[in-house]
């Protein structure tokens, strides 16, 4: 049996008993929401945390959510934001995003073991390169965390053009402002769902992790975040204004329109998404000689001097987030996701050298340094190692080192389990750890990557560590410190000191 609270704002709470499978109602100032209960967990899905991003709100800062009379059904996921561009049919097939039609994609989902409790809260920000993804992906189900005494929240935020294209007259970083609006909603309402607004951990993977570390540098998040988790992301994915403006100008030129909100808003969505894909592909990997520095993501946060005042790494170095406990790490073979699954595994030496040169480094010297450490690796395996370190691992360490300068320590991990799929070439690739974190190996999302026999024992270990960190700030191993300690998760996990030191030092002075 579960106890439910029906409360309107903070006055007149009413208690009632419900059985598994029966509706559960929670009232807040916004209105009453009816969720469901099963197996000791109640869930409430599709709750708007901001007004619908349509019409004049489409490129504006998020507005307060609408109030409603009566009872709003919250048994099922709400709409996703406008269908984002999908540049890769391969990734779309392997890691599909849910598409749920509706007007207001700015909604969130809550799982709770006890609506009368005062429990720690985990807030999950999905990845997808700031262009794709959804908080309603089924592998992000919060049931297992709720069974560990953690109220869990997942959410949608604006993506691609709507969320991150810099336009005159519109606030920058609208996707991040959506995330902040969700955190403010949580601060104001989560106690009615059994959560403690003073114990909020914000977590994410890939662009979600980049969002987490960028949020820590934004003044408006002060007091909203107690702990943070960054999975396969870093603090380097931000543009200076001139690069953000160049991307916006290129897209508008591709469309043949002025760079204004009105002109962009008038473009039909299919045409807008198609043109966005063209521009993203044109710039990706430093391929356009006009902007060789556009090597990372193309649509991403911008240091605009208003919503984001400085580079997240510089902010960490100054101690802006020193009071926030951090769990941070990467997977061993991040970039293999984009190699093993796409036919790039047959690349030759020339492709390896060219791709490494695009990183702005001495390609022959960098390749030689990696070959000395990985003497049996073929060009594709060296490519994966170099790109993984450049894209995720080394920038992650740089963020940890920046925090250390402000006397803020971090717990660091590496996810190293390698599935047998793709002839063993996939490795511990990007996104592989997510269903281990959520303990959702039974969910079909990502199964084509991990296979049908992923180790449940490892999911138990990883999930328990994350839940422990959310509850106490201690995932079960010492912080990084001067000894560079990290936890490597595998079939035989271990706590180790400064692994792959030569590879880390190869990037000294570069990243």
């Amino acid at each position: 049996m579960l106890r439910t609270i029906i409360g309107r704002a903070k006055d007149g709470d009413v208690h009632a008993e419900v059985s598994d499978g029966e509706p559960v109602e929670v009232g807040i100032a916004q209105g009453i929401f009816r969720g469901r209960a099963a197996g000791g967990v109640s869930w409430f899905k599709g709750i708007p945390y901001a007004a619908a991003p349509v019409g004049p709100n489409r490129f504006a800062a998020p507005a307060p959510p609408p109030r409603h009379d009566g009872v709003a059904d919250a048994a099922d996921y709400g709409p996703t934001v406008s269908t984002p561009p999908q540049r890769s049919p391969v990734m779309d097939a392997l890691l599909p995003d849910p598409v749920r039609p509706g007007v207001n994609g700015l909604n969130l989902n809550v799982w709770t073991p006890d609506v009368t409790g005062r429990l720690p809260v985990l807030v999950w920000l999905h990845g997808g390169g700031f262009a794709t993804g959804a908080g309603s992906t089924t592998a992000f189900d919060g049931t297992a965390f709720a069974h560990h005494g953690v109220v869990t929240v997942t959410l949608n935020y604006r993506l691609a053009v709507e969320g991150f294209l810099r336009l005159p007259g519109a606030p920058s970083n609208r996707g991040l402002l959506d995330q902040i609006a969700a955190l403010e909603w949580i601060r104001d309402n989560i106690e009615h769902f059994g959560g403690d607004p003073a114990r909020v951990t914000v977590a994410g993977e890939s662009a979600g992790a980049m969002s987490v570390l960028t949020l820590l540098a934004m003044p408006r998040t002060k007091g909203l975040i107690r702990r943070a988790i960054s999975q396969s992301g870093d603090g380097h994915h931000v543009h200076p204004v001139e690069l953000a403006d160049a991307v916006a100008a290129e897209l508008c030129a591709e469309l043949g329109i002025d760079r204004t909100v009105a002109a962009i808003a008038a473009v039909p969505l299919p045409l807008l998404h198609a043109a966005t894909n063209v521009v993203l592909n044109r710039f990706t990997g430093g391929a356009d000689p006009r902007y060789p520095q556009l090597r990372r993501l193309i649509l991403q946060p911008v240091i605009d001097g208003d919503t984001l005042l400085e580079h997240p790494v510089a902010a960490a170095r100054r101690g802006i987030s020193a009071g926030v406990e951090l769990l941070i790490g990467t997977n061993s073979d991040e970039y293999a996701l984009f190699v093993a699954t796409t036919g790039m595994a047959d690349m030759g030496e020339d492709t390896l050298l060219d791709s490494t040169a695009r990183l702005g480094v001495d390609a022959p010297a960098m390749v030689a340094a990696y070959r000395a450490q990985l003497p049996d690796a073929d060009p594709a395996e060296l490519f994966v190692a170099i790109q993984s370190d450049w894209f995720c691992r080394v920038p992650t360490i740089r963020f940890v080192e920046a925090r250390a300068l402000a006397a803020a320590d971090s717990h660091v991990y590496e996810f190293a389990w390698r599935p047998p799929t793709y002839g063993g070439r996939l490795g511990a690739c990007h996104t592989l750890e997510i269903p281990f974190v959520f303990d959702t190996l039974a969910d079909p999302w990502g199964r084509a990557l991990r296979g049908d026999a992923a180790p449940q024992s490892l999911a138990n270990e990883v999930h328990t560590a994350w839940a422990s960190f959310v509850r106490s700030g201690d995932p079960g191993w010492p912080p990084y410190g001067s000894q560079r300690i990290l936890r490597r998760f595998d079939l035989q996990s271990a706590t180790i000191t400064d692994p792959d030191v030569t590879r880390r030092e190869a990037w000294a002075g570069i990243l």
Side-chain angles (χ1 to χ4, degrees), residues 58-60 158 160-174 241 244-253 255 257-267 272 299 302 304:
R58 184 179 175 193
F59 294 98
R158 279 175 286 182
V161 169
E162 283 86 353
F164 293 96
L165 188 73
R166 179 172 158 82
L167 293 168
S172 300
N173 302 316
R174 295 176 295 276
V241 166
D245 286 346
V247 172
E250 190 78 5
L251 176 61
C252 291
L255 289 164
I257 62 173
D258 294 332
R259 188 164 69 95
T260 66
V261 169
I264 284 283
V267 177
L272 180 61
L299 286 170
V302 55
D304 65 342

Side-chain angles (χ1 to χ4, degrees), residues 333-346:
D333 311 290
E334 297 277 0
Y335 227 75
L337 175 64
F338 313 107
V339 175
T341 64
T342 60
M344 290 179 64
D346 296 325

Side-chain angles (χ1 to χ4, degrees), residues 347-369 371 379-380 382-383 386-387:
M347 74 171 59
E349 190 76 10
D350 289 345
T351 303
L352 169 64
L353 287 168
D354 179 65
S355 64
T356 303
R358 288 187 184 184
L359 303 182
V361 302
D362 182 336
M366 186 65 75
V367 169
R371 183 166 279 124
L382 290 173
F383 174 85
I386 292 170
Q387 295 285 337

Side-chain angles (χ1 to χ4, degrees), residues 218-466:
M218 298 177 75
R220 280 187 54 184
T221 65
K222 185 175 178 61
L224 296 176
I225 302 170
R226 169 75 174 276
R227 300 184 178 105
I229 301 174
S230 171
Q231 299 171 209
S232 302
D234 58 69
H236 287 71
H237 284 78
V238 291
H239 283 322
V241 166
E242 57 270 21
L243 276 184
D245 286 346
V247 172
E250 190 78 5
L251 176 61
C252 291
E254 180 70 25
L255 289 164
I257 62 173
D258 294 332
R259 188 164 69 95
T260 66
V261 169
I264 284 283
V267 177
L269 274 179
L271 178 59
L272 180 61
H273 290 158
T276 301
N277 283 347
V278 169
V279 172
L280 295 183
N281 284 319
R282 183 179 299 158
F283 280 150
T284 294
D288 192 307
R290 295 172 298 164
Y291 303 103
Q293 63 272 55
L294 284 173
R295 305 185 190 104
R296 300 179 188 268
L297 301 178
I298 309 306
L299 286 170
Q300 61 184 21
V302 55
I303 306 170
D304 65 342
D306 180 20
T307 59
L308 179 60
L309 304 181
E310 60 183 322
H311 196 289
V313 178
R317 190 177 296 117
R318 290 201 306 110
I320 296 300
S321 61
V324 176
E325 296 163 305
L326 178 65
L327 170 61
I328 186 169
T330 63
N331 297 353
S332 299
D333 311 290
E334 297 277 0
Y335 227 75
L337 175 64
F338 313 107
V339 175
T341 64
T342 60
M344 290 179 64
D346 296 325
M347 74 171 59
E349 190 76 10
D350 289 345
T351 303
L352 169 64
L353 287 168
D354 179 65
S355 64
T356 303
R358 288 187 184 184
L359 303 182
V361 302
D362 182 336
M366 186 65 75
V367 169
Y370 274 73
R371 183 166 279 124
Q373 294 298 305
L374 304 167
D376 298 326
D378 62 25
E381 290 166 334
L382 290 173
F383 174 85
V384 166
I386 292 170
Q387 295 285 337
S388 298
D389 287 356
W390 168 80
F391 188 70
C392 276
R393 183 185 298 189
V394 177
T396 291
I397 294 303
R398 295 290 183 263
F399 194 89
V400 170
E401 291 168 341
R403 279 175 55 89
L405 291 174
D409 220 327
S410 311
H411 291 274
V412 180
Y413 76 90
E414 178 184 353
F415 185 85
W417 178 72
R418 292 174 167 88
T421 50
Y422 292 90
R425 297 189 68 96
L426 189 64
C429 71
H430 200 60
T431 77
L432 189 68
E433 88 291 352
I434 293 174
F436 291 83
V437 168
F438 280 88
D439 193 9
T440 51
L441 292 180
D443 190 274
W445 188 88
R447 187 174 295 160
L449 299 177
R450 65 182 178 271
D452 294 326
Q456 180 61 47
S457 60
L458 182 57
N460 295 343
E461 181 182 4
V462 172
H463 176 74
T464 298
W466 262 239

